[in-house]
């Protein structure tokens, strides 16, 4: 397992796909769901995404896919506009597709948009989301036209399991979109992603993510790459931006925060799971990274769930 696998493991469409929306100029959809991540795929036509953190609208055509980072509302419009008259915007929220097919319109003039939303929780997927721009648009360089056609057909099909099939296909498309973006020269991919292809650092990153609870030392990590400790430390820091053991501690503490929030296991059990010999050493590291004790983090998480 590599960091990309680890961070995407908790990012899934969960039946909250907005579905297919039909737009004609000057219509626009305003997404107010507050989702951490939204996937927009034009099936026919082209449209524009306006996001409060972007300087100008982003054009998305058939054959491209776009992701939008939340939770700020954004607008998908049939025209490149920054302002709209009353009645031109339709608010779209979870559970409402926003689909409309205006009578008397020429089908060739319509924008048909497929949208999926991703409600993710926890710090692990946030590490990935924080590496994405507010809006990214990626051309389909693998010719996914058959997949788009199948997605479109699934929205009309009434067969059992339709939503599960749609969710899984959207997941696959999201992974491809984010990965293709990171591979593009203009993308500011995080250091750990660029380092995955390195013969020295790549195996070490995969080992830490595959078994974060192993009692790793700089020597044992260097053995994964077949290099000296000094070579690993220098190469890892240059590519990732921090020393190997610092990265490992930060990754462990990210996992720990999610384990404490999502389970009832004891602090001592979390400590053992992540390779700490005792709860005291684990608690010290956790407080240094998160600014509070594991017990306090669990209480705050529990309080937040009750509030929501």
């Amino acid at each position: 397992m590599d960091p990309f696998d680890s961070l995407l493991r908790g990012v899934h469409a969960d039946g909250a796909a907005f579905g297919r929306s039909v737009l004609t100029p000057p219509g626009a959809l305003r997404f107010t769901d507050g989702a951490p991540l939204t996937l927009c795929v034009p099936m026919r036509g082209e449209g524009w995404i306006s996001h409060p953190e972007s300087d100008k609208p982003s054009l998305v055509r058939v054959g491209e896919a776009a992701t939008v980072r939340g939770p700020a509302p954004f607008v998908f419009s049939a025209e490149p506009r920054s302002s709209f008259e009353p009645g031109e915007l339709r608010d779209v929220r979870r559970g409402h597709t926003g689909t409309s097919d205006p009578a008397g319109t020429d089908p060739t003039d319509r924008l048909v948009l497929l949208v999926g939303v991703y409600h993710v929780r926890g710090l692990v997927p946030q590490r990935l989301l924080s590496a994405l721009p507010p809006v990214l648009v990626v051309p389909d360089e693998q010719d996914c036209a058959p997949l788009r056609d199948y997605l479109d057909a699934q929205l009309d099909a009434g067969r059992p399991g339709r939503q599960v099939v749609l969710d899984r296909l959207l997941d696959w498309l999201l992974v491809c979109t984010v990965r293709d973006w990171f591979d593009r020269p203009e993308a500011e991919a995080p250091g750990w992603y660029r380092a995955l292809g390195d013969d020295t650092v790549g195996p070490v990153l995969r080992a830490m993510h595959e078994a974060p609870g192993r009692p790793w030392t700089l020597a044992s990590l260097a053995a994964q790459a077949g290099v000296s400790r000094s070579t690993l430390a220098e190469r890892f820091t240059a590519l990732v931006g921090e020393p190997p053991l610092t990265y490992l501690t930060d990754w462990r503490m990210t996992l720990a925060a999610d384990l404490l929030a999502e389970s009832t296991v004891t602090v001592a059990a979390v400590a053992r799971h992540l390779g700490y010999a005792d709860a005291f050493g684990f608690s010290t590291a956790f407080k240094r990274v998160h600014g509070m004790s594991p017990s306090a983090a669990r209480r705050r998480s529990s309080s937040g769930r009750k509030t929501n």
Side-chain angles (χ1 to χ4, degrees):
M1 182 183 298
D2 60 43
F4 194 69
D5 295 326
S6 301
L7 301 185
L8 275 168
R9 187 171 294 273
V11 181
H12 299 290
D14 58 357
F18 286 126
R20 183 177 51 201
S21 298
V22 180
L23 281 175
T24 55
L29 300 174
R30 180 170 53 196
F31 292 89
T32 58
D33 190 59
L37 192 65
T38 304
L39 178 69
C40 299
V41 185
M43 313 299 283
R44 289 191 292 276
E46 63 184 35
W48 301 79
I49 297 174
S50 299
H51 190 281
E53 295 182 35
S54 297
D55 295 333
K56 59 182 180 179
S58 300
L59 174 63
V60 192
R61 303 181 177 93
V62 170
E64 298 177 330
T67 67
V68 186
R69 196 185 67 217
F74 68 94
V75 172
F76 198 107
S77 60
E79 297 177 329
R81 302 168 59 193
S82 57
S83 61
F84 300 87
E85 298 296 327
E88 292 180 344
L89 280 173
R90 296 204 311 272
D91 283 350
V92 183
R93 298 180 179 87
R94 187 172 184 172
H96 297 79
T97 64
T99 300
S100 70
D101 195 354
T105 59
D106 184 345
T108 60
D109 292 336
R110 296 178 300 180
L111 162 66
V112 180
L113 177 68
L114 178 65
V115 180
V117 297
Y118 295 81
H119 287 267
V120 297
R121 293 182 177 179
L123 295 183
V124 170
Q126 290 299 329
R127 289 168 68 106
L128 175 67
L129 298 186
S130 65
L132 300 178
V135 180
L136 67 85
V137 179
V138 178
D140 174 15
E141 298 176 345
Q142 307 300 322
D143 189 14
C144 292
L147 174 61
R148 289 194 301 273
D149 293 342
Y150 188 66
L151 281 166
D152 201 22
Q154 285 297 310
L155 286 167
D156 292 326
R159 300 182 62 189
R162 178 190 72 123
Q163 186 64 60
V164 174
V165 171
L166 180 61
D167 288 347
R168 298 300 178 268
L169 290 172
L170 287 171
D171 289 347
W172 182 86
L173 189 56
L174 175 69
V175 171
C176 292
T177 299
V178 175
R179 184 175 56 195
D180 289 350
W181 168 255
F182 281 162
D183 287 339
R184 297 183 70 82
E186 68 268 26
E188 296 182 2
W192 54 260
Y193 186 86
R194 297 192 303 270
L196 286 174
D198 185 76
D199 291 340
T200 298
V201 180
V204 173
L205 281 168
R206 292 183 178 89
M208 287 192 286
H209 281 258
E210 184 68 34
R214 283 187 58 178
W216 295 111
T217 63
L218 187 58
S220 61
L221 288 172
Q224 295 289 317
V227 298
S228 67
R229 290 176 296 175
S230 60
T231 297
L232 173 63
E234 180 178 356
R235 184 73 176 163
F236 195 103
T237 303
L239 293 181
V240 179
E242 58 186 343
L245 294 182
T246 302
Y247 179 93
L248 175 62
T249 297
D250 189 51
W251 174 236
R252 284 172 167 173
M253 294 304 107
T254 300
L255 292 172
D258 285 356
L259 282 171
L260 291 165
E262 298 166 3
S263 71
T264 58
V265 296
T266 64
V267 172
V270 173
R272 289 192 299 271
H273 178 72
L274 294 175
Y276 286 84
D278 58 77
F280 179 78
F282 164 74
S283 297
T284 300
F286 189 95
K287 188 171 184 178
R288 184 171 63 248
V289 171
H290 294 294
M292 66 182 72
S293 69
S295 298
R298 169 169 278 170
R299 287 194 298 272
R300 188 172 74 168
S301 175
S302 177
S303 176
R305 287 196 301 270
K306 291 177 182 178
T307 302
N308 294 332

